[in-house]
Amino acid sequence: MKILGLGILLLAVSLFVVRTAGADAMVTLSADPTVDTTVSEMENSQMGMGGETAHTKDPFRGFNKAMFVFNDKAYRYFFKPIHTGYSSIVPPKARGAVKDAYINIKMPIRFFNCLFQGKFKGAGKELARFVVNSTVGVGGFWDPATKLFHIKKEDRDFGQTLGKCKLNPGPYLVLPFVGPTNTRDMFGDLIDTGLNPVSWVSFFFLTPVEAAGNFTYEGVNNLSTGKGKTYEDITKPALDPYIALQDAYMKYREKKVKE
């Protein structure tokens, strides 16, 4: 039962990561004022870090396209109606408070990846944010670290850490419910899951169904508070939505590595 629970939990984690039908590529970092990032504009002709190039390795194209269609249907007919209904019922301030609380509790992911990347100032900022938001911010449901003290969140993950170590992204993949990724980021997600306190609580103290519900709720709430480019902004006007999402994801990840 524990192994079965772990399998269900990992599926739930993929939902929480909100890559459902490519949500990871939906996010535009510059649209989020709480994220501290200084990034140069990417060049379409040549990608820099980690040996990435404008040509994406896609050896599993047939499988990937089938998964893209599956995720697209799942997004349009399942997740979109859920988060649309949720948004119409729950006020924006309440949804924002829930998102802030999840961001606060996931501090170890950002803190340790700052250390892995040699961003010691960033690690200090993450600790300061956690203390302020956990106390003055009432468990993180409010974000005074950003709003009062102008301490912005460091957006760091282990896939990004591996990219900074010059590890190539590897083949492009589209996984069911997870959406676009690559072998480097897929491994990075597993490490970040291990650093996520929500994963620890879910594994040791919740039943598989409760854990799945917890992660799924976070994913739905995050979708309802999303800013910047959305999945439909990327795919709807595109002649080839599959290529458009692939390009958006790879550029987004390259931008992350360059931070």
Side-chain angles (χ1 to χ4, degrees):
M1 286 298 294
K2 203 69 173 179
I3 295 176
L4 176 60
L6 178 60
I8 296 175
L9 178 59
L10 289 177
L11 174 59
V13 168
S14 70
L15 299 176
F16 137 74
V17 173
V18 198
R19 283 190 178 172
T20 305
D24 200 35
M26 299 178 201
V27 180
T28 301
L29 292 178
S30 59
D32 189 347
T34 68
V35 178
D36 188 8
T37 173
T38 305
V39 186
S40 61
E41 290 298 318
M42 289 190 310
E43 300 177 2
N44 290 329
S45 61
Q46 181 67 38
M47 303 294 188
M49 287 285 192
E52 296 178 359
T53 66
H55 176 68
T56 300
K57 297 178 182 178
D58 193 2
F60 309 112
R61 188 180 181 87
F63 170 83
N64 288 340
K65 294 198 78 169
M67 290 302 99
F68 169 80
V69 172
F70 172 81
N71 287 338
D72 184 72
K73 299 295 185 185
Y75 169 76
R76 295 181 187 278
Y77 298 113
F78 184 70
F79 291 102
K80 184 179 178 180
I82 290 177
H83 85 73
T84 299
Y86 174 77
S87 299
S88 67
I89 296 172
V90 181
K93 287 187 177 180
R95 287 183 272 127
V98 170
K99 183 176 182 179
D100 286 341
Y102 275 109
I103 289 173
N104 187 60
I105 199 171
K106 292 186 292 182
M107 178 276 292
I109 298 175
R110 300 185 299 274
F111 172 76
F112 282 107
N113 277 295
C114 281
L115 293 181
F116 297 154
Q117 296 173 24
K119 306 289 184 180
F120 302 113
K121 181 179 179 180
K125 288 167 61 178
E126 280 298 321
L127 280 178
R129 281 180 52 85
F130 183 75
V131 171
V132 171
N133 288 346
S134 297
T135 53
V136 181
V138 193
F141 285 96
W142 184 44
D143 185 11
T146 298
K147 297 174 182 177
L148 297 182
F149 301 102
H150 309 292
I151 308 173
K152 293 185 179 181
K153 173 169 64 76
E154 294 287 322
D155 199 53
R156 306 284 169 180
D157 61 71
F158 199 72
Q160 177 192 46
T161 298
L162 294 175
K164 288 181 177 294
C165 293
K166 305 298 179 72
L167 185 69
N168 288 326
Y172 178 73
L173 295 168
V174 181
L175 302 178
F177 298 111
V178 180
T181 186
N182 54 56
T183 52
R184 183 184 69 195
D185 289 343
M186 185 170 61
F187 178 74
D189 286 342
L190 292 175
I191 300 300
D192 289 337
T193 297
L195 295 173
N196 185 359
V198 179
S199 300
W200 310 340
V201 172
S202 297
F203 185 77
F204 291 108
F205 300 105
L206 300 180
T207 66
V209 173
E210 290 171 337
N214 179 37
F215 282 111
T216 302
Y217 172 70
E218 183 185 1
V220 170
N221 188 78
N222 283 350
L223 280 173
S224 72
T225 59
K227 298 179 180 180
K229 277 190 175 182
T230 67
Y231 169 70
E232 291 179 78
D233 289 333
I234 295 169
T235 58
K236 191 173 182 179
L239 294 176
D240 188 335
Y242 172 81
I243 294 298
L245 189 61
Q246 179 189 80
D247 184 62
Y249 176 77
M250 296 304 292
K251 286 182 177 179
Y252 167 70
R253 293 304 298 171
E254 169 62 12
K255 185 177 181 180
K256 293 275 290 177
V257 171
K258 284 187 174 182
E259 288 180 15

